[in-house]
Amino acid sequence: MSHLDDRIYRDYASWKLETHDLIEKFKEKNSLIYERFEPIIVVLDYIYNQVCDEQGIDDDLKSIFQIGFHYIYEQFELIKIYFEKIFDSDWDDFLEYSELLLYLLFILDFRKDIETSDVEYDEELFSNLEVEIEDMIMDRQNNLTYIHDRVNEVLRQVDEQIDYQYESIVDIFVEIAETLGIFIYEEDTFVVGEDI
């Protein structure tokens, strides 16, 4: 039986077709949203291509694929709701406030990670911050310095309550990509004395 017979790979192919235009637009606009999800997308594409080429994948890669696809699917569903419903599919408006949305996604990820670790903390800290960010998005208040400081303050307060090390799924996928030999953030080499 081919790995392509596994439904998750067919679901991923369908998802890629459905979100292709959205993802390409994020890339074209050099959106921070694409930059955030690029490590996950390239790892998923790498594994998917191995499956399509019938190279065979081990259980670790299959688990990585399942986790990554589940995560990115949920994230893009939320992004699409904001893009289509809150911003009426207006790219300029959406991109102007997308950094606020990224803060919200970060807080949701952090909160979910803590909750799966079964650690007790003041949940209202995150709840209040989520509402504040959502209100700023709805009211088109783009005070990034303020929200950056607020996020750091909440994280500091949570850190005082619990001893917790958070590693985002995006960071994990950057490490996975490097392990697979996929270098996402290759920097241009700068040589002193060369013409700029």
Side-chain angles (χ1 to χ4, degrees), residues 92-145:
D92 293 330
D93 199 22
F94 178 77
L95 290 173
E96 184 176 344
Y97 297 94
S98 62
E99 199 165 339
L100 285 174
L101 181 57
L102 287 174
Y103 275 112
L104 180 62
L105 294 173
F106 170 78
I107 292 302
L108 293 170
D109 281 356
F110 196 109
R111 182 179 194 172
K112 189 174 188 177
D113 198 63
I114 288 177
E115 289 169 356
T116 59
S117 298
D118 212 20
V119 178
E120 289 188 30
Y121 70 102
D122 182 359
E123 294 180 23
E124 281 192 22
L125 289 170
F126 282 138
S127 296
N128 293 338
L129 183 57
E130 287 170 23
V131 168
E132 192 170 356
I133 295 171
E134 288 170 347
D135 287 346
M136 288 179 72
I137 291 171
M138 297 295 288
D139 296 339
R140 304 299 196 266
Q141 297 174 6
N142 203 7
N143 189 341
L144 295 174
T145 303

Side-chain angles (χ1 to χ4, degrees), residues 15 19 22 26 33 72-90 94 101 104-105 108 134 137-138 140:
W15 178 82
T19 59
L22 186 64
F26 285 144
I33 289 176
I72 204 164
Y73 179 86
E74 285 184 347
Q75 295 287 295
F76 268 79
E77 287 302 302
L78 184 60
I79 288 167
K80 284 194 286 188
I81 289 169
Y82 273 85
F83 177 65
E84 294 169 1
K85 307 290 185 211
I86 308 300
F87 293 98
D88 296 322
S89 300
D90 181 325
F94 178 77
L101 181 57
L104 180 62
L105 294 173
L108 293 170
E134 288 170 347
I137 291 171
M138 297 295 288
R140 304 299 196 266

Side-chain angles (χ1 to χ4, degrees), residues 35-40 67-68 71 75 102-103 105-114 155 164-177 185:
E35 189 176 307
R36 172 178 166 79
F37 295 111
E38 183 180 20
I40 299 169
I67 291 165
Y71 175 78
Q75 295 287 295
L102 287 174
Y103 275 112
L105 294 173
F106 170 78
I107 292 302
L108 293 170
D109 281 356
F110 196 109
R111 182 179 194 172
K112 189 174 188 177
D113 198 63
I114 288 177
L155 293 176
Y164 188 76
Q165 290 289 52
Y166 173 67
E167 186 175 15
S168 76
I169 191 167
V170 175
D171 292 335
I172 293 168
F173 269 78
V174 168
E175 293 170 13
I176 292 168
Y185 304 119

Side-chain angles (χ1 to χ4, degrees), residues 9 11 23 46 52 54 57 68 87 96 110 124 128 141 146 158 170 185:
Y9 302 110
D11 288 347
I23 291 171
Y46 175 88
C52 288
E54 297 187 11
I57 60 169
F87 293 98
E96 184 176 344
F110 196 109
E124 281 192 22
N128 293 338
Q141 297 174 6
Y146 168 77
V158 169
V170 175
Y185 304 119

